């Protein structure tokens, strides 16, 4: 019995080690994240194609940085960032945008609280479903 149990569990533990970003995203609370998103709303919407000072964040997870269609104000740094946004790199960016990507022009100090970041990321994931 014990062996079977271990056989079932090991791959799950392995996956959590290999994909910490998945485990990370699952920890977030999208309802609380909607509240956190108020801090972003001055500059961002989650409606497709509706840009403010910042680009629309509709479908941002899974999108290449600096490519929201119709948004013309990206910095060179963001256009050249070259990453695909996921829970992991959003977590790093949102903690301290200026440090994560020098030269980007998002005028935001960052979310210092990891729970706020988890929650807002899961909100962003959920609004497109
Ligand atoms: C005062 C305005 C402002 C606030 C507040 C703000 N942003 Fe931004 N954001 C911007 C601007 C401007 C850019 C474009 C930066 C660039 O091109 O260098 C941006 C870019 C981004 C990007 C990259 C988008 C892409 O298409 O690659 C993400 C993700 C993002 N912001 C998330 C957030 C989140 C989440 C919050 C709230 C926690 C937030 N921002 C708060 C102005 C803001």
């Amino acid at each position: 019995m014990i062996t079977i149990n271990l056989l079932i569990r090991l791959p799950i533990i392995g996956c959590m080690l290999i994909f910490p970003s998945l485990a990370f995203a699952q920890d977030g609370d999208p309802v609380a994240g909607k509240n956190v998103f108020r801090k972003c709303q001055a500059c961002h919407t989650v409606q497709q194609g509706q840009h403010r000072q910042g680009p629309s964040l509709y479908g941002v997870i899974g999108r290449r940085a600096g490519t929201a269609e119709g948004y013309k104000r990206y910095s060179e740094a963001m256009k050249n960032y070259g990453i695909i946004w996921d829970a992991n790199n959003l977590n790093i960016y949102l903690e301290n945008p200026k440090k994560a990507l020098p030269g980007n022009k998002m005028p935001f100090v960052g979310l210092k609280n990891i729970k706020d970041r988890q929650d807002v990321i899961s909100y962003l994931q959920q609004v497109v479903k």
Side-chain angles (χ1 to χ4, degrees):
M1 254 336 252
I2 291 175
T3 346
I4 290 174
N5 232 329
L6 255 183
L7 277 177
I8 294 171
R9 280 182 194 189
L10 272 180
I12 298 176
I13 295 169
C15 281
M16 285 169 74
L17 290 176
I18 297 169
F19 301 113
S21 59
L22 291 180
F24 176 87
Q26 279 162 5
D27 289 342
D29 171 0
V31 178
K34 190 172 181 182
N35 261 328
V36 179
F37 191 73
R38 290 200 190 145
K39 297 188 176 166
C40 325
Q41 266 173 348
C43 305
H44 294 286
T45 77
V46 290
Q47 273 79 51
Q48 195 164 16
Q50 273 190 36
H51 309 303
R52 292 189 179 154
Q53 182 180 343
S56 161
L57 295 181
Y58 177 88
V60 69
I61 292 165
R63 184 167 85 197
R64 184 173 288 274
T67 61
E69 218 183 307
Y71 179 75
K72 312 261 184 246
R73 296 160 72 175
Y74 282 118
S75 61
E76 287 303 309
M78 188 62 80
K79 279 192 275 188
N80 296 326
Y81 202 6
I83 58 161
I84 309 285
W85 289 118
D86 62 22
N88 226 3
N89 53 34
L90 268 175
N91 177 42
I92 295 167
Y93 178 68
L94 293 178
E95 182 179 9
N96 188 339
K98 295 237 153 60
K99 191 172 153 211
L101 178 59
N104 96 94
K105 54 177 194 186
M106 172 155 124
F108 183 70
V109 289
L111 295 171
K112 300 304 166 205
N113 184 331
I114 184 167
K115 171 119 184 16
D116 286 351
R117 299 197 300 275
Q118 286 175 326
D119 290 348
V120 83
I121 290 166
S122 72
Y123 171 69
L124 288 174
Q125 263 167 346
Q126 194 234 254
V127 283
V128 290
K129 278 184 194 157

